[in-house]
Structure formats: C-alpha cells, structure tokens
Amino acid sequence: MAYQKVNADQRAPGHSQYLDNDDLQATALDLEWDMEKELEEPGFDQFQLDSAENQNLENSETADLNLDSIQPATSPKGRFQRLQEETDYATRYTRSAPKSNHCNLCRLLKILCTAIILFIFGILIGYYAHKNCPSNATSSGTLDHQLYQEILKTIQAEDIKKTFRNLVQLYRSEDDTDISKTIKTQWTSLGLEDVQLVNYSVLLNLPGPSPSSVTLSSSGQCFHPNGQPCSEDARTQSSQDLLYSYAAYSAKGTLEAKVIDVSYGNTDDLKRIKKMRNVTNQIALLKLGKLPLLYKLSLLEKAGFGGVLLYIDPCDLPKTANLSYETFMVSLNPGGDPSTPGYPSVVGSFRQDRTNLTSLLVQPISAALVAKLISSSKDRTKNGACTPLELPHNEERIVNMHIQTVTEFKTVTNVVGYLKGLTSPDRYVIVGSHHHTAPSYSGQEWASSTAVITAFIQALMFRVKRGWRPDRSIVFCSWGGTVLGNIGSYEWGEDFRKVLQRNLVAYVSLHSPMKGNSSLRSVASPSLQQLVAEKNKVNCSRRAQCPETNVSSVQIQGDADYFINHLGVPTVQFAYEDTKAIQDPGFLSEALFPKSAKKIEEMDPFFKLHETITKLSGEVILQIASEPVLPFNALDIALEVQNSLKGDQPNTHQLLALASHLRESAELFQSDEMRPANDPKERVPLRVRMLNDILQDMEKNFLVQQVPPGFYRNILYHLDDKTSQFSILLEAWEHRKSLASNETFQEALSKVLHSINSAQVHFKAGLNVFDSVLDGNN
C-alpha cells in the first residue's frame, strides 16, 4: 500500500512543530475518516495489490483490522500530497475512481479559483493604494543618497543667475517691504507653505545728508572718507557709496586731536603706546583685522581715546583686490534692536534711549586717505613684499573729524516660509539668507544669498509636489536689517525664543556665499564637522581641480550669530573666499564694501560657484531634516574640547582631566546609543526620539554668560583657524599679562570648567535615561 499508519509519538525526528497543534491533528483525523469510507465501498476487493501487500494481508488474517491504525505519511506536506508524489499510484486501480474523488476535485477547484481571484484583487488594491498615497509609501525615513541627488540635480546655475539679476533691480527701493513682498511672492509661487512677512519697528542708525569728513589741521585740507577732497564738485558727484562710509551706532559730533597709530589695537600695542604718550581724548589710527572690532574698540575706549579712524591695510588684502580708494561701512551693534536689548521689539515693549553704542567717534576711511594723513606717496611694494602703512613715531598729525548720522525708528521685515515635516513636524531646521534693507548699505551680497536660497526652495518643492516630505520641518528665512547688526534675525529669535530653545535642531547659513572665488571655506559646529567634511570630499571628487578644504569652527559674520550664541544650535555655512583673506588677519569681513552686481558676476560669471554652494548646503539640509538619527557627532565635541586646552596657559590640568572624562562619556554614548539607533533593525522610535533630543542640545552646554565684546558666547568657536585654544582663555591670559592680575584668568578658567562639567552631566544623564528605559523603569 502507498501509505502506512504510525502512532503520534513515532513521528520522524525533525517533524515540523507547527503540525503538533490540535487543529492540524483534527484535520488529519477527518482526512483519515474519508479514506476509511472509500475503503468500505463495494468493489474495494477489485484493487490490484502488489504481491508484497498481499503477503502482508495474508499474514494478518488473525489480526483485528483496526482502521485507526492507518495514519498519514510523515511528510510535512500532508497525507494526500504525499500519496500523489508516487507516480505509479494511479496505475494500481482496475476501475474508475470513486464518485467522492470527483466531488473532492470540484471542491478543490472552487477553492483554488476563489484564492486566485482574491489574490488578484489584493494586488489591485495594493497598487492603487500605493499610487494614491505616495507620502506614506515613500517615507522620508528611507530617503537615500539617490533621492538627495534627484532633488539637487534640478538646481541649475542659469536659474540662480536669472534670480540674482532680477533681485539687484530692486535694491533702490526706499522701503525693504517692497523687496520682502517680492521674495514672498516668489517663494509662494514655488509652492512653499505658509509664507509670512514678520515686521519689527527698530532703531536704525543711518548716514546723514552729507558724507563725513577728515580735515588736516596743519594745512586745512578737507577729505571725504575715500580720500577725495571736500570740494563742491566732489560733493555733487558723490555716490551713495560715499554716504555709506560710516560706522553704524557710533557717537556723532566733531573731535580735533592728535592721531596715534595703534596698529591692530591689541593689548600689546596699547601697552606699548600708553608707556610712550598720553592717549586721553586722542584719535587712534586703527587697522581692521586679527581681533573682533568691538573688542578692540572696548580696549581703546577703556584706555581713554576719543575717536578712531578705521582702515584696512592693503597688505592684508589679496593682490587682486584694489581697494585703496574704496569706502566701506561697519556696524558697532552686537545684535538686534539697540532700544530693546535682550527682548523683542514688539508693540508695548519698553524702548531704551541708545542712540549710540560707544562713546568713541568711529569713522572708516580708505587706505588712500591714510597715505595722505601720513604724507606717504611712495610705492609700498618692494622686492615683491608689501610694506604696511605706518605713521612715523617722530611725526605728529592733528586732524579734525566730523561725523553726522541720523537715528530713527523704521520697520525691518523678515520673510519666513514653512515646509512642514512628515514625522517630526515640531523639530525645525532653519535655512537663513538675508535681503537688502533700505535705506542702508548698497552692496549686492544679499542678492547672491537670496538667489541661492530661492534655487534650493525651487528644487525641494519640485519633489514635494510629487508626494515626498522631509521628516522634520524646514523653515526658510530671509532676514532684514542684517548689515546694521543682524537686527531681523535677533528680533525674530527673541520673539520665538522659548519655542526655538525646545524645537530648533540646526541652522544652515547662506550668508554672503560669494566673498571671492579661489577657495571654498566651510565653517561648522564641532558636531557637524564630520558631515561637512564628507560633503567637501565628494564635491572635490567631482571637480578636476579642487584645493583641499578644511572644516573649522571659527567666528563668522551674519545672522547665524543669534542661533549660535544664544540658542547653542549646531550651525554650518559654505562660502567661497579668496585664499589670502582666509590665511591672513581675520575679521576683515566685518568691513562691508559696496560690491556692485557686475563685481559679483566677474567673480562667478557662469554662477557655477553659486550652484556648488546651493548643492552643498542643500545636501546638508536634506540629511539633517530627513535622517531618522540626527547626523551629529558627540565624540567630535569632546575631541574639540581636548584640542582647545592645548597651549601654554597654566592651571589647566584640572580641565584636562575633566575633558578626558567627557571624552569617555561621549565614546560610551556614541557606541552604546548612536550605533544601534543607526541600524534600522535595532531602531526603536522612542529611543530615537530621546537620542535626537540629547544630540540637538549638546552645544547648549558651552554657552557662557559674559564674554569680551565681539567674542562668541559659544566657546566652541575660535577666533581664527590658526589658534585652537579657547578664545576666552587666550584673551584672559593676555589681559593678565597687561594688568598683572590673575583674577580675570581664573574667572575664564571657571567658565570653561563649568561648561565641560555641564556637557559631562548631559551625556551621563542621557545614558542613565536609556538604562532606565531598557530596565522598564521609565
């Protein structure tokens, strides 16, 4: 016979455990009962049995025929399937199959047809559900490199150039509301959701009706800041650029005094000069660069100076930059509306009387005027080396400086547009550019900035219209009042401070992307440096010639200031600059030159560099906004702290020991928590959310309350690329040497110590929370 019954406890080893359940056993018994009925039908004796089977039956004459002893074959495929596997089974019948076989066959065919119909129907439902719900199917959590490139490839240099040219036609407007409305209209037409104009009434310091002047007392010659004589012809032909050669929020009036050359105005320079002469109410001839302008002015003010003639030495500029007769402006505003320091200028706010932010009369002048003041007309280039401008020590110059500015309340407008996130809409990535604020400085960097952010919005919304969204919300901001002290961004940040402290993840700056065309400079928070370095490497591999670009955390100009220094938000910025401007004295970018639209197009005639900046920034934005785990590196912060403690400052052994513990905690956090979260198989949504909350708050631990003017409150940022030490420790050490006092240095050491300790507690608390969740004690 083709089957043999075995007892249940005699199943073959390896028998599927799923066959042991009661339902399957009951099914087997039903099948046996059907077979028994077939065996009892008339004609059963007509089956032709094999000789071996006949022999078995004959030998069992005396045995009771117990049908219960017949069980299915041990194949896990089932009893009848096992029988059908024997090819000679059908040949053993001498008559037609029983009627019950025909019924069973019909029943099986009905079941098979029903299953096929249901299967096809299910496929159709799945297909149309997928087609009609692409946002759910295409979860941004699965966004990969290919999708990033698909979004970014639509960014074209020609589109950026067209937008730039359209924008530069608008800057002559007397009210920046016109420019803001144009930007809003354009962003809305691209499909960006909920684009708003946010207005603030703020105190602006603007030029007077005529340019400032500097007069030589010995000869009576009067000069404008660019070095032109104060003649009637020059006055009538003076352009807006001449009017805007001023220091915003400087004291105004007239001062006649001796000119004292203080070089770059650091502590050593002032210590040397104060030993030689009385500086009270005198005029300092000061070079821009090396240290923040606000810091140097604070030293001059403390020393007793009454005025400052500020200039840029041609030796500090690239050889290609001929700016001897160029005027420039600076802002002495540390940030925001001066009349509402630390709080937003909304209706009902108390307004403080702060028409000037320093007691010094500060006037930016050209290098050409400096040469006339020191009676130097000789060529300053000798044997290929540039000779810096310097007033001879044995010569005395007395000048009369006249500064007249106007202070009034005006409206500053921000343009803010939102793209709501899919899974974490309450987490924000801010992308910031700035636009022209009229009446103010007439440079064109704002047009580059606005054109770049608009190009990225266009590429992003093209994909959004097809159903995709980032996980986190992206907030696009075009700030007003940037050149006068980042006023728009500060007021908006102060207005939404509580929300931003809790929900802001990162800030991507598009401030002045074109400052030169020779080298790409990448500035990023320590936690983002690894991500930015990867993007730089990919960008260089795509270009035939690409100089090696370093990623650093240095102080930068622009609206990122508020988010770095008051919210402790990880920040990144890409910009093209001249190589010499990067290598030589920093903070030259504090000077705002009136670059025309033609000048920008000369630097990047085909707007390919603009396209590169847009794509680099765009890919970073996409990863931060779309990756399930924020691409921040905790260990890099600990390494940055250790590197910042290298140097010759004493009494840092305690800080080094604490920094070592911070590194250990960061390593443990990164290996135990970040590694499994980055593996989709081990990813748990609750743990990922907790992890991201810890990552986005890491840099907040390094915000200190009081720092020297012009220094960052976020001590992870350095003054320049050449020094890796904490800036506040360097400044305090220099201050200690000049005043022979240890109190300031000890105070700076304490600030650094508390910051490192706060970060250590932050990581340990995060690890403890994760342990509690694992133990089920949450």
Side-chain angles (χ1 to χ4, degrees):
M1 194 68 180
Y3 50 86
Q4 175 182 353
K5 184 172 182 178
V6 295
N7 291 328
D9 55 353
Q10 295 176 340
R11 292 188 180 96
H15 192 289
S16 174
Q17 62 178 340
Y18 301 107
L19 297 179
D20 289 336
N21 67 52
D22 297 336
D23 293 337
L24 290 179
Q25 291 183 17
T27 302
L29 292 176
D30 291 340
L31 292 175
E32 292 173 27
W33 176 249
D34 289 339
M35 178 59 75
E36 291 169 5
K37 291 197 295 184
E38 290 180 21
L39 296 176
E40 292 173 357
E41 288 182 1
F44 176 73
D45 55 341
Q46 298 180 19
F47 277 102
Q48 301 296 323
L49 303 178
D50 294 338
S51 59
E53 296 177 25
N54 288 328
Q55 181 67 32
N56 289 337
L57 290 174
E58 291 174 357
N59 295 336
S60 60
E61 287 180 356
T62 58
D64 293 335
L65 183 62
N66 187 358
L67 295 179
D68 290 339
S69 64
I70 303 176
Q71 290 190 356
T74 58
S75 171
K77 291 184 178 181
R79 177 183 181 186
F80 292 112
Q81 290 181 357
R82 177 68 183 90
L83 291 174
Q84 291 168 2
E85 288 173 4
E86 299 189 23
T87 57
D88 60 340
Y89 176 74
T91 63
R92 301 179 186 180
Y93 286 94
T94 58
R95 64 175 179 85
S96 61
K99 294 179 181 180
S100 59
N101 283 356
H102 178 72
C103 296
N104 289 336
L105 180 62
C106 293
R107 189 183 309 142
L108 289 173
L109 288 174
K110 290 180 181 179
I111 295 174
L112 181 62
C113 291
T114 303
I116 293 174
I117 293 172
L118 291 174
F119 178 72
I120 296 174
F121 188 62
I123 291 177
L124 292 175
I125 292 176
Y127 171 76
Y128 285 106
H130 177 79
K131 183 176 180 181
N132 294 330
C133 304
S135 60
N136 292 332
T138 312
S139 173
S140 57
T142 62
L143 187 68
D144 55 10
H145 182 73
Q146 183 177 357
L147 181 54
Y148 295 150
Q149 298 309 312
E150 185 178 330
I151 293 173
L152 298 174
K153 72 180 181 182
T154 59
I155 298 172
Q156 301 296 326
E158 193 60 35
D159 294 335
I160 302 175
K161 184 176 183 179
K162 182 179 178 180
T163 303
F164 173 84
R165 288 183 170 179
N166 290 336
L167 289 168
V168 295
Q169 303 299 322
L170 302 173
Y171 82 91
R172 301 182 189 278
S173 169
E174 289 300 321
D175 189 351
D176 79 330
T177 304
D178 293 340
I179 296 178
S180 302
K181 288 180 178 178
T182 301
I183 296 173
K184 177 186 177 183
T185 300
Q186 188 169 19
W187 289 5
T188 303
S189 67
L190 295 175
L192 193 60
E193 306 163 354
D194 192 19
V195 184
Q196 305 173 0
L197 297 180
V198 186
N199 300 320
Y200 297 98
S201 178
V202 299
L203 187 66
L204 301 183
N205 186 239
L206 306 172
S210 60
S212 300
S213 62
V214 177
T215 304
L216 283 172
S217 299
S218 58
S219 63
Q221 289 180 293
C222 175
F223 299 97
H224 288 308
N226 64 351
Q228 291 181 340
C230 301
S231 63
E232 287 294 330
D233 292 339
R235 186 177 298 111
T236 56
Q237 295 174 3
S238 64
S239 64
Q240 188 185 37
D241 296 341
L242 190 57
L243 286 174
Y244 284 90
S245 176
Y246 81 112
Y249 302 101
S250 162
K252 54 181 177 286
T254 302
L255 175 65
E256 184 172 357
K258 294 179 182 178
V259 177
I260 300 177
D261 191 344
V262 297
S263 188
Y264 291 101
N266 56 35
T267 53
D268 288 337
D269 292 331
L270 294 181
K271 184 178 180 180
R272 170 179 50 82
I273 292 169
K274 289 175 69 174
K275 288 181 178 180
M276 297 170 56
R277 59 182 71 183
N278 180 19
V279 300
T280 304
N281 288 328
Q282 304 303 314
I283 298 174
L285 184 63
L286 176 66
K287 293 181 183 182
L288 191 68
K290 289 194 175 181
L291 290 168
L293 176 60
L294 293 183
Y295 175 65
K296 297 195 290 187
L297 293 181
S298 69
L299 297 180
L300 293 174
E301 188 174 14
K302 189 180 297 184
F305 280 92
V308 176
L309 293 175
L310 181 67
Y311 74 102
I312 298 178
D313 196 308
C315 296
D316 295 335
L317 293 170
K319 294 180 180 179
T320 56
N322 185 14
L323 301 175
S324 297
Y325 291 90
E326 291 283 355
T327 57
F328 62 94
M329 75 161 289
V330 294
S331 176
L332 310 185
N333 181 8
D337 177 14
S339 69
T340 59
Y343 53 95
S345 53
V346 296
V347 177
S349 296
F350 172 71
R351 305 282 183 172
Q352 299 184 23
D353 183 14
R354 304 181 73 194
T355 55
N356 55 273
L357 301 178
T358 178
S359 62
L360 296 170
L361 278 74
V362 182
Q363 176 59 53
I365 60 176
S366 67
L369 178 53
V370 175
K372 292 180 180 181
L373 293 179
I374 65 177
S375 302
S376 173
S377 59
K378 62 182 180 180
D379 186 7
R380 291 184 298 277
T381 303
K382 185 177 181 180
N383 297 327
C386 182
T387 304
L389 289 170
E390 184 178 2
L391 180 64
H393 297 295
N394 57 351
E395 295 185 15
E396 185 177 280
R397 297 287 186 273
I398 298 177
V399 302
N400 182 295
M401 53 187 301
H402 175 71
I403 297 177
Q404 186 64 43
T405 58
V406 177
T407 304
E408 57 183 303
F409 284 94
K410 283 189 172 292
T411 299
V412 165
T413 304
N414 299 324
V415 187
V416 182
Y418 299 87
L419 174 59
K420 190 175 182 181
L422 181 65
T423 60
S424 299
D426 61 331
R427 291 295 182 262
Y428 311 132
V429 178
I430 294 183
V431 184
S433 65
H434 71 284
H435 58 263
H436 175 67
T437 300
S440 73
Y441 167 72
S442 61
Q444 302 302 321
E445 292 91 340
W446 68 270
S448 291
S449 176
T450 307
V452 166
I453 193 173
T454 302
F456 178 67
I457 292 174
Q458 182 178 7
L460 187 65
M461 297 311 297
F462 179 76
R463 182 69 189 186
V464 170
K465 291 175 183 178
R466 295 166 58 189
W468 173 85
R469 279 182 180 272
D471 279 359
R472 302 173 185 90
S473 297
I474 303 179
V475 184
F476 295 95
C477 302
S478 182
W479 307 114
T482 296
V483 297
L484 294 172
N486 308 315
I487 294 178
S489 56
Y490 258 77
E491 295 309 305
W492 187 82
E494 290 169 350
D495 201 0
F496 295 92
R497 182 184 182 94
K498 296 297 183 182
V499 175
L500 297 175
Q501 283 179 328
R502 182 177 65 253
N503 297 338
L504 183 55
V505 170
Y507 184 90
V508 179
S509 172
L510 299 175
H511 178 81
S512 298
M514 290 302 303
K515 300 176 183 176
N517 58 6
S518 61
S519 182
L520 176 65
R521 186 176 198 183
S522 306
V523 177
S525 301
S527 58
L528 276 171
Q529 287 186 10
Q530 192 173 116
L531 175 64
V532 173
E534 292 173 359
K535 303 311 166 193
N536 282 341
K537 185 177 181 181
V538 172
N539 176 60
C540 286
S541 65
R542 294 171 181 164
R543 301 170 55 135
Q545 292 182 347
C546 182
E548 182 179 356
T549 53
N550 295 322
V551 185
S552 58
S553 299
V554 296
Q555 296 191 192
I556 56 178
Q557 301 299 309
D559 295 286
D561 183 278
Y562 181 81
F563 303 94
I564 293 173
N565 287 306
H566 295 269
L567 299 178
V569 177
T571 303
V572 60
Q573 174 180 286
F574 297 96
Y576 274 96
E577 297 188 8
D578 290 310
T579 303
K580 185 174 177 61
I582 297 175
Q583 296 174 347
D584 283 348
F587 299 97
L588 294 180
S589 58
E590 291 182 316
L592 301 174
F593 286 94
K595 293 185 177 66
S596 64
K598 182 178 179 182
K599 179 69 174 179
I600 297 253
E601 293 197 45
E602 286 177 358
M603 288 191 293
D604 188 19
F606 302 106
F607 278 71
K608 288 296 183 180
L609 301 183
H610 283 79
E611 180 183 318
T612 299
I613 294 292
T614 310
K615 290 184 175 181
L616 283 172
S617 303
E619 191 163 5
V620 170
I621 294 166
L622 288 172
Q623 283 199 239
I624 297 175
S626 301
E627 294 295 327
V629 178
L630 290 171
F632 300 162
N633 197 304
L635 182 57
D636 284 353
I637 289 184
L639 295 175
E640 186 75 16
V641 170
Q642 286 189 317
N643 290 334
S644 298
L645 291 173
K646 296 178 180 178
D648 57 357
Q649 293 101 343
N651 303 327
T652 58
H653 56 277
Q654 185 178 3
L655 298 181
L656 285 169
L658 193 58
S660 179
H661 293 313
L662 174 63
R663 178 174 177 173
E664 292 173 0
S665 297
E667 287 177 341
L668 185 61
F669 176 82
Q670 194 150 307
S671 62
D672 284 10
E673 307 305 334
M674 293 188 67
R675 182 200 54 76
N678 279 305
D679 185 352
K681 296 180 181 179
E682 301 183 45
R683 192 176 295 153
V684 179
L686 175 61
R687 289 172 62 82
V688 170
R689 181 68 181 228
M690 293 164 53
L691 173 62
N692 286 335
D693 288 346
I694 294 172
L695 291 173
Q696 76 179 46
D697 289 339
M698 289 188 298
E699 292 192 23
K700 291 181 173 63
N701 297 288
F702 295 93
L703 296 179
V704 298
Q705 289 298 320
Q706 297 295 329
V707 292
F711 281 57
Y712 269 13
R713 288 183 56 216
N714 187 332
I715 63 174
L716 291 175
Y717 287 76
H718 308 294
L719 290 177
D720 54 55
D721 292 319
K722 297 178 181 179
T723 56
S724 61
Q725 290 87 359
F726 284 114
S727 299
I728 59 172
L729 290 183
L730 286 175
E731 190 276 335
W733 182 243
E734 293 297 320
H735 191 76
R736 175 183 181 273
K737 290 191 298 184
S738 62
L739 298 181
S741 172
N742 200 39
E743 182 178 349
T744 303
F745 184 70
Q746 290 298 327
E747 183 180 357
L749 284 173
S750 178
K751 292 176 181 178
V752 175
L753 183 144
H754 289 311
S755 295
I756 300 174
N757 184 66
S758 177
Q760 166 78 350
V761 171
H762 180 77
F763 285 123
K764 290 184 67 176
L767 289 168
N768 291 336
V769 169
F770 279 109
D771 289 341
S772 299
V773 172
L774 286 175
D775 295 338
N777 296 327
N778 57 322

